[in-house]
Amino acid sequence: MTTFVQILLSGVALGFLYALVSLSFVVLLKATGHFNLLPGSFVLLGAYSLFQLHQNMGVNFWLALALAIIIIAALGLVIHYLIFQRIDRAAEGHAAGLAILLVTIGLLSLSQATAVSSWGAEVMLLGDPWRLRTALIAGVSISQRDIWVIVLSLIVLAIFYMVMQHTRVGIGMRALASDPQAAFVQGINPRRVAPYAWLMSAGAAVIAGVLMATEAGGGLRPTLDVVAFTALPALILGGIRSLPGCAVGGLVLGILQQLAAGYAPSGLGQGFATVLPWLIMIVVLLVRPSGLFATREFRRA
Amino acid sequence: MATIASTGALRTQGAYRDLIRKDSRVFRSAITRYGALLLVALAVVLPLSTADSFLLSLGITVGFFSIGAIGLNVLNGYAGQINLGQPFFLAVGAFTAVGFGSNLDLPFPVWLLAVVVIGALSGVLVAPLALRLKGVYQIVLSLGLIFIGHYIFVNWSDLSGGVSGRRAPLDLSIGPLDFAALELGGMTYGYQQGLFMLVWLFVALCMFLVHLLMKSPAGRHIVALRDAELAARVTGINPTRSMCGVFAICSAMGALSGAFYVAQLRFVSPEQFSLEMGLQFIIIVTVGGLSTAWGPVLGSLVICSLPVLASRYSEHIPFLKANSSLPDGTWGIPVGQFPVVIYGLLLVVILMFEPRGLTHLIKVLSQWLARPLLRVLRRRSATEEAS
């Protein structure tokens, strides 16, 4: 029983990580109108910025986290104004979507090279306050990092929920995503809304990156962006445009993946747990392509 | 009859037919026809004239990447779909080659045919799933293919040797002609020289097939579906059939590329067919120029040469330092990362300023360079007329 609870808890923690990364993707999709892979870069560069600020420059961990989020959001905004808007103006519809996706692949390469050039390819420790300690609660030993993952993710999710449902900016964002022209007529300025969207996306991605870099057996490494892509099945499962969908999709996949890692018979081969989310995603795509939390506009994605 | 033939409607139809006929011609002029023949001859002569293993292995790499990219260009360029999963098809081809060529020890033409057929089948299998999806879903699906392919091949260890990979020698002889140890005019040539020749002959074949396809009705259907799907369907084009065909071409050429990859290394491991390779293929077709005949080859040439040249001439390039995993206090781009920087920059710059790719840039550049020459020629003919 205790092993089951342990596995379940680590699954919940993994699920929240998936949820955070896919939230970052969804918010960017809503804000820019095009799917792109920038959250991968955010995860990577965010974790390394925190390392630079905290380990190399001695800034307090939480302050460094906040600074890293602001740095990444600013970087995102620069990319938004210098590259995305330019391509949006030059190309139309489908072509612009493809061009922006490809540009972000280029930026992904650049950010990976930046990380290796500046900090080396070695796996490093982030110097996080929770380290590898475990807590013993009612006979179940839980790594403190998992607890932090769950707590931090819940805080981020709560903030996102408040912003999206109860603030002018959030309502404006939702209006722009569902019908840009009607939103214009109502006086919503996309230029006003964009910085908040990038801040939210960067926040979710950087926190997820920092948490990923403190995983037991892992660490801060230049392939974190590829790790971030393992959250994409959660995005599909949740139905690409829905924020609660992301959270639920992430949790379902995280728990299933950890259960598979713990209980799957060895006949299923090595790496079965890692590939399970992708298999589930393909089944979902076959049976219900709109995801578990379909919104009506999914076909436009 | 004569009066009918002289009416305007029919005359325009005739002109239109001429236009189509001109456009359907395989070679636009004698220059391109003999140019193409010359290039094919070059693919045979070039490897025989050099034994420099550096050039030869680079040439083979560029060659097999070109084959995969030519296939991907049909899907990503002409058909306007998105596929990051080309490594999956390369893996299918590579392991088919290993299974038929190394494990069963079948002759070259047999395993090559198996690679193409199984490659095409894998594409047809994926197509219905991919075609139901658009945009984001297609991208994520193709990423998933890479991970699932990795899982399958790592566990199929008889074939792949598991995580650590295995040696995979392949037979390269057609009848009396053994490309692994070519004997021509009393001279014996090496494995790499034969493989170079073989790979580039296949590059030429693939380019020619795609060129023919795009001049045929089937090719026009593909482009029509990309540009105006509704209009194309209204005129009776079957999108599913066309797109399944596109997937089959893309995957068959990907598989062929994978088989030559194994032939070059004589080693195979599931780790080779990674996400990075998928990104590399996308970069190749985009930088070379989407929907162009020469784009994939040009893109492979640039993208595959960069890492090799960078490591060879690293001391002449500023901001470069030797590979080291530990930060040593000095800021510099490690040699291994230099090509990654260039890929990234190329992709961003090309998409922002010249989405038509390197092919278009070269065209513009050659026209600009030829302009003074043309001017001289024109002036000379003008003076001749005057005299």
Side-chain angles (χ1 to χ4, degrees):
Chain A
M1 191 60 204
T2 48
T3 22
F4 178 75
V5 175
Q6 273 171 24
I7 287 175
L8 202 66
L9 269 172
S10 68
V12 170
L14 182 66
F16 272 124
L17 276 186
Y18 284 162
L20 280 185
V21 178
S22 41
L23 273 181
S24 175
F25 278 102
V26 170
V27 172
L28 265 199
L29 179 67
K30 278 184 188 274
T32 63
H34 303 294
F35 178 73
N36 61 67
L37 298 177
L38 267 188
S41 311
F42 287 178
V43 163
L44 179 71
L45 291 180
Y48 272 103
S49 318
L50 181 114
F51 173 80
Q52 175 71 19
L53 288 166
H54 179 55
Q55 290 286 64
N56 290 358
M57 292 157 75
V59 181
N60 173 278
F61 184 81
W62 300 106
L63 185 62
L65 182 63
L67 284 175
I69 292 173
I70 292 169
I71 291 170
I72 297 300
L75 184 72
L77 264 183
V78 169
I79 293 169
H80 181 73
Y81 287 123
L82 280 187
I83 300 178
F84 283 16
Q85 290 208 330
R86 223 191 136 96
I87 291 177
D88 245 347
R89 253 181 272 131
E92 287 282 318
H94 177 73
L98 186 60
I100 283 183
L101 173 74
L102 291 169
V103 159
T104 56
I105 290 178
L107 292 172
L108 210 60
S109 300
L110 283 179
S111 52
Q112 228 173 30
T114 312
V116 177
S117 303
S118 314
W119 294 285
E122 200 89 322
V123 175
M124 290 183 295
L125 292 176
L126 205 55
D128 43 293
W130 45 87
R131 299 186 197 280
L132 293 174
R133 282 191 293 264
T134 51
L136 207 68
I137 301 171
V140 182
S141 75
I142 308 160
S143 83
Q144 284 199 9
R145 178 244 180 197
D146 283 354
I147 299 173
W148 276 103
V149 169
I150 294 170
V151 170
L152 279 178
S153 310
L154 280 175
I155 292 173
V156 172
L157 287 176
I159 292 174
F160 272 36
Y161 181 78
M162 290 302 288
V163 169
M164 288 313 254
Q165 297 297 328
H166 298 293
T167 63
R168 269 190 87 80
V169 173
I171 294 166
M173 240 184 259
R174 275 158 50 209
L176 278 171
S178 68
D179 191 340
Q181 278 186 329
F184 285 151
V185 175
Q186 292 295 316
I188 294 167
N189 185 353
R191 282 172 178 277
R192 228 16 116 57
V193 172
Y196 292 99
W198 283 92
L199 188 65
M200 285 168 76
S201 173
V206 171
I207 291 175
V210 167
L211 292 170
M212 278 176 186
T214 60
E215 178 185 25
L220 186 62
R221 54 198 186 277
T223 49
L224 271 183
D225 50 349
V226 181
V227 179
F229 293 147
T230 53
L232 286 173
L235 190 71
I236 299 289
L237 203 64
I240 209 116
R241 280 171 186 269
S242 137
L243 296 183
C246 277
V248 177
L251 278 177
V252 168
L253 288 184
I255 293 171
L256 283 178
Q257 184 177 341
Q258 290 303 66
L259 285 178
Y263 293 113
S266 59
L268 286 169
Q270 70 188 101
F272 176 71
T274 346
V275 85
L276 185 68
W278 297 98
L279 293 174
I280 293 173
M281 178 198 79
I282 287 193
V283 173
V284 168
L285 285 178
L286 278 172
V287 181
R288 197 179 153 81
S290 47
L292 300 179
F293 288 76
T295 50
R296 262 182 297 117
E297 60 221 302
F298 88 94
R299 285 202 176 275
R300 263 190 266 153
Chain B
M1 280 306 280
T3 49
I4 296 172
S6 66
T7 57
L10 277 186
R11 229 185 300 144
T12 38
Q13 202 181 15
Y16 188 57
R17 199 173 290 153
D18 271 358
L19 197 75
I20 289 186
R21 193 171 297 148
K22 205 170 163 189
D23 197 47
S24 314
R25 222 177 275 158
V26 175
F27 293 109
R28 226 173 296 153
S29 67
I31 300 179
T32 48
R33 182 181 309 143
Y34 295 115
L37 277 178
L38 191 75
L39 285 174
V40 171
L42 206 65
V44 176
V45 175
L46 204 67
L48 299 184
S49 61
T50 173
D52 183 354
S53 69
F54 170 76
L55 275 182
L56 283 171
S57 76
L58 178 59
I60 295 168
T61 309
V62 173
F64 77 72
F65 264 99
S66 299
I67 295 174
I70 291 167
L72 188 64
N73 187 31
V74 178
L75 187 66
N76 275 16
Y78 295 115
Q81 309 283 318
I82 308 171
N83 174 22
L84 291 172
Q86 192 70 340
F88 171 72
F89 298 122
L90 260 90
V92 168
F95 290 114
T96 309
V98 171
F100 283 80
S102 290
N103 286 9
L104 298 179
D105 215 10
L106 292 170
F108 173 61
V110 180
W111 68 251
L112 198 71
L113 193 70
V115 162
V116 174
V117 170
I118 292 180
L121 279 180
S122 68
V124 172
L125 214 68
V126 171
L129 189 54
L131 293 175
R132 289 178 57 176
L133 311 169
K134 294 229 178 304
V136 194
Y137 294 90
Q138 227 176 31
I139 300 162
V140 178
L141 175 75
S142 64
L143 283 177
L145 270 186
I146 300 179
F147 290 104
I148 290 170
H150 184 259
Y151 166 71
I152 293 173
F153 290 119
V154 162
N155 285 300
W156 196 345
S157 51
D158 291 347
L159 196 63
S160 65
V163 181
S164 51
R166 59 172 280 193
R167 259 172 44 76
L170 290 172
D171 169 53
L172 291 181
S173 55
I174 307 174
L177 209 61
D178 186 2
F179 282 92
L182 216 52
E183 278 185 56
L184 290 177
M187 290 266 284
T188 310
Y189 296 97
Y191 183 81
Q192 285 208 317
Q193 287 166 308
L195 188 62
F196 185 104
M197 204 184 285
L198 205 61
V199 167
W200 278 95
L201 287 177
F202 272 96
V203 172
L205 182 71
C206 289
M207 269 182 88
F208 190 62
L209 285 179
V210 169
H211 183 71
L212 283 185
L213 173 75
M214 296 329 292
K215 300 238 168 222
S216 74
R220 287 181 214 284
H221 290 175
I222 293 166
V223 175
L225 279 170
R226 176 193 67 186
D227 291 342
E229 193 181 335
L230 192 64
R233 290 170 98 125
V234 168
T235 57
I237 296 171
N238 180 348
T240 317
R241 211 171 58 193
S242 288
M243 287 300 159
C244 278
V246 168
F247 262 92
I249 292 169
C250 174
S251 61
M253 290 186 184
L256 199 61
S257 162
F260 283 127
Y261 190 14
V262 179
Q264 186 195 16
L265 295 179
R266 286 177 272 188
F267 172 83
V268 70
S269 143
E271 309 294 326
Q272 291 161 331
F273 308 99
S274 60
L275 177 62
E276 279 78 25
M277 189 192 235
L279 299 184
Q280 207 173 344
F281 266 110
I282 288 278
I283 293 171
I284 285 175
V285 288
T286 315
V287 167
L290 283 166
S291 322
T292 58
W294 280 98
V297 180
L298 215 63
S300 315
L301 187 68
V302 173
I303 298 300
C304 299
S305 317
L306 275 173
V308 188
L309 293 178
S311 62
R312 203 175 203 205
Y313 301 106
S314 57
E315 64 267 31
H316 302 296
I317 305 170
F319 306 120
L320 232 58
K321 66 174 183 186
N323 276 326
S324 69
S325 53
L326 280 173
D328 51 5
T330 60
W331 196 90
I333 303 169
V335 174
Q337 291 296 312
F338 179 70
V340 183
V341 175
I342 301 291
Y343 298 163
L345 280 180
L346 263 179
L347 203 55
V348 173
V349 168
I350 290 254
L351 280 164
M352 285 186 69
F353 301 105
E354 185 48 88
R356 284 166 293 187
L358 284 180
T359 317
H360 185 77
L361 275 183
I362 288 189
K363 205 183 204 172
V364 170
L365 194 71
S366 60
Q367 276 168 359
W368 183 75
L369 286 176
R371 208 183 289 160
L373 193 73
L374 286 176
R375 204 176 296 146
V376 170
L377 287 176
R378 212 174 294 142
R379 200 172 297 151
R380 188 170 295 164
S381 64
T383 49
E384 273 171 16
E385 267 174 35
S387 65

